[in-house]
Amino acid sequence: MSLIVQKFGGSSVRDAQRIKGVAAIIAETYLGGNDVIVVLSAQGDTTDDLLAKAEEINDHPSKREMDMLLSAGEQVSVALCAMALESMGLPCVSLTAWQVGIHTNSVHREARIKNIDSERIRMELDQHRIVLVAGFQGIDRKGDITTLGRGGSDTSAVALAAAFRADLCQIYTDVDGIYTTDPRIVPNARKLKEISYDEMLELASQGAQVLHNRSVELAKKFRVDLEVLSSLERKPGTKVKEVTKVEKTNIAGVAKDVTLARVALVGLQHNPGVAFQVFDLLGKHGINVDIILQSIGREDTKDISFTIHRKDLEECEHILNEHKETLKFDHIETDSGIGKVSVVGVGLMNNCGVAAKMFEALYEAGINIQMINTSEIRVSVLLDEEDVNLAVRAIHAKFFDEV
Ligand code: ADP
Ligand code: ASP
Ligand code: MG
């Protein structure tokens, strides 16, 4: 007998018919003699709808109340799916994160799981019940509800798989696996049989929403056997694992991110410690900075440009302006119409030609690059948001279609 964790995303539980389809997959796994822990996301666009409802009421609601609101969607899904299983005569129980004991830190809307209590779930599994857990949510030390960041149900699933040493963690979604890029942008993207944790982590961190990046981090850390597959078609998906065969293309995939904003601090003094002051300040306010570029301006001043998440732009500008006297800059320029495109691959480490090939594709497509950033297994470029899809197609074609 194996223990299998199965996670179904929002589109997989969109309506009654889909929920019945999901229940059939769960039933098959359970009746095959396995213990099953199911993790569900909110139905369809529920989380976006809840965000819109909040906006109608308050422009700046507290993050605590937002978590109280946003976590509601997942509770609906697990209850409905449990009802579908009940109607099939299968023993099951749906649980919230509070009932399970999924403990997180108190960073509302971006909480990280610290540990998971085993008693309740273990007890239910011992009674041969299918356990359905509301994804995306946790509780902090005070007992307040937290959420794990958009797309966070993947992380709930992998964390449960790690905590219960599951034999397999299956992430069921609306595509039949992980592709070389988003198949909705590039229809001839190739499906990968397998991908390494490192490559998937980099792709997820660079915007490939098919897996929440923290879920891949946890899968790597706890060696969770992870698979991404379709909830609509029964066929093999993509395995995420430690080592994979490197294909001759050297790169695993292309990712895009259109959630960024660029901030430039213009006319900073060219003294030691200036960059430290700026980023220390932002760090203390929980604002994550991605690409940073410093350039020398005129008359012994310098400019520092960096990217942040778009949702943090207003707060970032406010904080920097509040400290204008101490930071001594001339003015701030911002741009929330930017996007980032990245190529990722472990084979990239020993291949300096990859960056050149990427830039050639952009040149041929007539696209201007604003900033460049690299890691051992990634090259990223910052572009105008309106060029992003064209850039993904051009770069993907250069690496995967040309021989
Ligand atoms: P779920 O609701 O099941 O969590 P998501 O919408 O979060 O599903 O993630 C699945 C989507 O991720 C796909 O519909 C696809 O458009 C997108 N995606 C982005 N990059 C990739 C990729 N490299 N491979 C597969 N899907 C990708
Ligand atoms: N429902 C949440 C979201 O839309 C979590 C998830 O889908 O994983 O972000
Ligand atoms: Mg998702």
Side-chain angles (χ1 to χ4, degrees), residues 7-10 40-48 51 70 73-74 135-137 148-156 212:
K7 179 258 171 180
F8 298 88
L40 299 181
S41 296
Q43 291 185 279
D45 297 328
T46 301
T47 310
D48 289 328
L51 280 165
L70 296 182
E74 273 66 15
F136 180 52
Q137 50 177 263
L148 310 179
R150 295 305 305 268
S153 297
D154 300 331
T155 298
S156 309
H212 192 231

Side-chain angles (χ1 to χ4, degrees), residues 7-12 41 154 172-175 177-184 203 207-211 254:
K7 179 258 171 180
F8 298 88
S11 50
S12 306
S41 296
D154 300 331
Y172 286 88
T173 183
D174 58 357
V175 281
I178 297 161
Y179 280 72
T180 47
T181 193
D182 189 338
R184 288 183 209 291
L203 280 175
Q209 97 204 59
V210 62
L211 283 176
V254 183

Side-chain angles (χ1 to χ4, degrees), residues 95-162:
L95 300 170
T96 61
W98 184 84
Q99 290 170 301
V100 172
I102 300 182
H103 301 279
T104 70
N105 63 15
S106 298
V107 184
H108 285 287
R109 300 204 61 187
E110 287 293 339
R112 286 169 83 98
I113 296 176
K114 294 199 299 194
N115 65 286
I116 299 179
D117 295 340
S118 59
E119 294 80 12
R120 180 68 193 263
I121 288 186
R122 189 56 69 198
M123 191 258 280
E124 301 293 353
L125 291 176
D126 288 347
Q127 307 281 323
H128 301 293
R129 292 198 183 101
I130 298 167
V131 181
L132 298 110
V133 180
F136 180 52
Q137 50 177 263
I139 47 161
D140 73 358
R141 265 173 53 196
K142 280 199 285 180
D144 282 342
I145 295 177
T146 55
T147 62
L148 310 179
R150 295 305 305 268
S153 297
D154 300 331
T155 298
S156 309
V158 175
L160 283 162

Side-chain angles (χ1 to χ4, degrees), residues 50-353:
L50 291 171
L51 280 165
K53 273 187 202 295
E55 216 167 276
E56 280 173 13
I57 306 262
N58 182 343
D59 285 342
H60 296 102
S62 69
K63 290 183 179 175
R64 183 201 180 275
E65 296 310 329
M66 282 305 290
D67 276 352
M68 194 69 182
L69 178 72
L70 296 182
S71 60
E74 273 66 15
Q75 188 170 335
V76 172
S77 293
V78 284
L80 291 175
C81 191
M83 290 173 197
L85 290 165
E86 278 177 349
S87 74
M88 298 165 82
L90 295 173
C92 62
V93 60
S94 65
L95 300 170
T96 61
W98 184 84
Q99 290 170 301
V100 172
I102 300 182
H103 301 279
T104 70
N105 63 15
S106 298
V107 184
H108 285 287
R109 300 204 61 187
E110 287 293 339
R112 286 169 83 98
I113 296 176
K114 294 199 299 194
N115 65 286
I116 299 179
D117 295 340
S118 59
E119 294 80 12
R120 180 68 193 263
I121 288 186
R122 189 56 69 198
M123 191 258 280
E124 301 293 353
L125 291 176
D126 288 347
Q127 307 281 323
H128 301 293
R129 292 198 183 101
I130 298 167
V131 181
L132 298 110
V133 180
F136 180 52
Q137 50 177 263
I139 47 161
D140 73 358
R141 265 173 53 196
K142 280 199 285 180
D144 282 342
I145 295 177
T146 55
T147 62
L148 310 179
R150 295 305 305 268
S153 297
D154 300 331
T155 298
S156 309
V158 175
L160 283 162
F164 288 88
R165 298 197 166 67
D167 298 284
L168 178 62
C169 180
Q170 296 181 313
I171 307 287
Y172 286 88
T173 183
D174 58 357
V175 281
D176 61 3
I178 297 161
Y179 280 72
T180 47
T181 193
D182 189 338
R184 288 183 209 291
I185 302 176
V186 181
N188 69 343
R190 292 190 209 160
K191 181 169 152 185
L192 302 166
K193 265 206 185 102
E194 51 185 34
I195 185 168
S196 69
Y197 291 125
D198 287 334
E199 286 170 320
M200 191 58 231
L201 181 56
E202 201 75 67
L203 280 175
S205 306
Q206 300 308 317
Q209 97 204 59
V210 62
L211 283 176
H212 192 231
N213 62 352
R214 178 88 180 119
S215 73
V216 189
E217 220 172 272
L218 284 178
K220 178 177 160 72
K221 186 167 171 193
F222 295 101
R223 294 282 185 273
V224 173
D225 199 346
L226 189 63
E227 185 182 10
V228 173
L229 63 177
S230 166
S231 62
L232 297 170
E233 293 169 273
R234 309 307 305 274
K235 56 177 174 181
T238 302
K239 290 269 187 189
V240 189
K241 47 202 263 198
E242 185 60 33
V243 193
T244 57
K245 290 178 217 99
V246 178
E247 290 200 24
K248 65 177 189 308
T249 47
N250 286 321
I251 75 162
V254 183
K256 66 155 191 176
D257 187 348
V258 287
T259 63
L260 300 171
R262 188 168 58 82
V263 178
L265 277 175
V266 181
L268 281 157
Q269 293 192 348
H270 194 37
N271 294 331
V274 172
F276 164 66
Q277 274 183 305
V278 171
F279 296 114
D280 184 49
L281 185 63
L282 297 180
K284 281 185 176 138
H285 285 83
I287 296 180
N288 283 328
V289 173
D290 186 23
I291 302 179
I292 302 174
L293 193 81
Q294 177 174 305
S295 55
I296 301 298
R298 271 161 273 138
E299 289 157 16
D300 225 15
T301 61
K302 62 184 170 191
D303 303 342
I304 295 182
S305 303
F306 53 91
T307 59
I308 55 173
H309 196 284
R310 237 171 249 183
K311 72 173 167 32
D312 294 330
L313 182 58
E314 205 181 314
E315 191 185 355
C316 177
E317 264 191 280
H318 178 72
I319 294 165
L320 292 171
N321 276 321
E322 249 185 4
H323 292 80
K324 196 169 180 192
E325 297 290 294
T326 36
L327 295 174
K328 298 194 185 72
F329 57 86
D330 187 68
H331 65 279
I332 304 177
E333 286 170 12
T334 62
D335 183 357
S336 53
I338 56 153
K340 185 169 61 168
V341 176
S342 309
V343 297
V344 169
V346 287
L348 206 139
M349 250 183 277
N350 308 313
N351 192 338
C352 57

